[in-house]
Amino acid sequence: MLSKATIEAKYKRAKLQATHTFLWEDVPLNLKAEIVRRIKILDGEMIAIYFYKSNKYSWALTNVRLIVLDAGKETDYFYHLIKKVELRDLMSGDANKLSNDTITLVLQDNTLRNIKVESTTWHAIYEILQLLVHTSSSISGNSSNQNR
């Protein structure tokens, strides 16, 4: 599991021009309180990055999982249950580097889940998710091997 500080550092290093994607520390207190009322934070879990598209769609990237709020429904994507992170719209030609606003999660059961992102941040969020998934799968792989 990566620390919140590592996730934040990777985001800061990207020097993004974001208007809807924030480090958790930069989210106004009143909005933080509302978000925390809407989602259940697990023990030891810390929100690092928050994306707000609208009242109907937002997500929080934590050190444990990606929490998506879509039309009032919370969906959790624990990193160890994500097989890989892809840029399907970009690779298929449906989007270009300036307009891409979708990252695809391929879950362990091969189910595809599209996550909306800000078009100016997709590359950094993609890299962070890749790192979180890779780190998580390495840790759970090591745990599995130790239990044998």
Side-chain angles (χ1 to χ4, degrees):
M1 171 180 5
L2 288 180
S3 70
K4 177 184 173 189
T6 301
I7 297 166
E8 290 171 338
K10 191 140 183 73
Y11 183 83
K12 286 177 184 177
R13 241 179 277 127
K15 297 181 180 172
L16 303 169
Q17 298 297 318
T19 56
H20 298 286
T21 310
F22 311 93
L23 287 174
W24 184 245
E25 64 192 32
D26 297 332
V27 174
L29 288 176
N30 61 336
L31 184 54
K32 276 185 185 178
E34 179 184 330
I35 295 162
V36 171
R37 274 194 306 273
R38 293 173 62 195
I39 61 176
K40 182 180 179 342
I41 302 297
L42 305 174
D43 288 340
E45 183 174 34
M46 294 175 280
I47 300 172
I49 301 171
Y50 181 69
F51 169 72
Y52 178 85
K53 181 175 181 176
S54 69
N55 286 335
K56 292 187 178 194
Y57 189 90
S58 63
W59 53 253
L61 190 142
T62 78
N63 58 322
V64 176
R65 62 191 165 141
L66 176 66
I67 306 164
V68 177
L69 296 169
D70 190 2
K73 181 180 178 229
E74 178 182 322
T75 306
D76 303 324
Y77 300 101
F78 287 88
Y79 303 127
H80 69 280
L81 297 177
I82 300 171
K83 188 189 294 187
K84 58 185 166 179
V85 182
E86 297 181 341
L87 298 169
R88 287 188 173 229
D89 284 1
L90 189 62
M91 297 303 154
S92 69
D94 289 342
N96 63 48
K97 289 182 179 182
L98 296 176
S99 68
N100 187 51
D101 67 353
T102 305
I103 294 174
T104 303
L105 305 178
V106 181
L107 306 181
Q108 289 296 336
D109 65 358
N110 291 318
T111 303
L112 303 178
R113 294 288 185 252
N114 287 328
I115 305 302
K116 290 297 181 187
V117 294
E118 194 168 351
S119 63
T120 58
T121 66
W122 67 264
H123 57 286
I125 301 301
Y126 171 77
E127 287 182 16
I128 292 168
L129 281 169
Q130 287 271 70
L131 184 60
L132 287 163
V133 168
H134 175 73
T135 303
S136 179
S137 65
S138 296
I139 291 169
S140 47
N142 289 340
S143 298
S144 299
N145 292 335
Q146 290 174 357
N147 292 334
R148 290 184 185 174

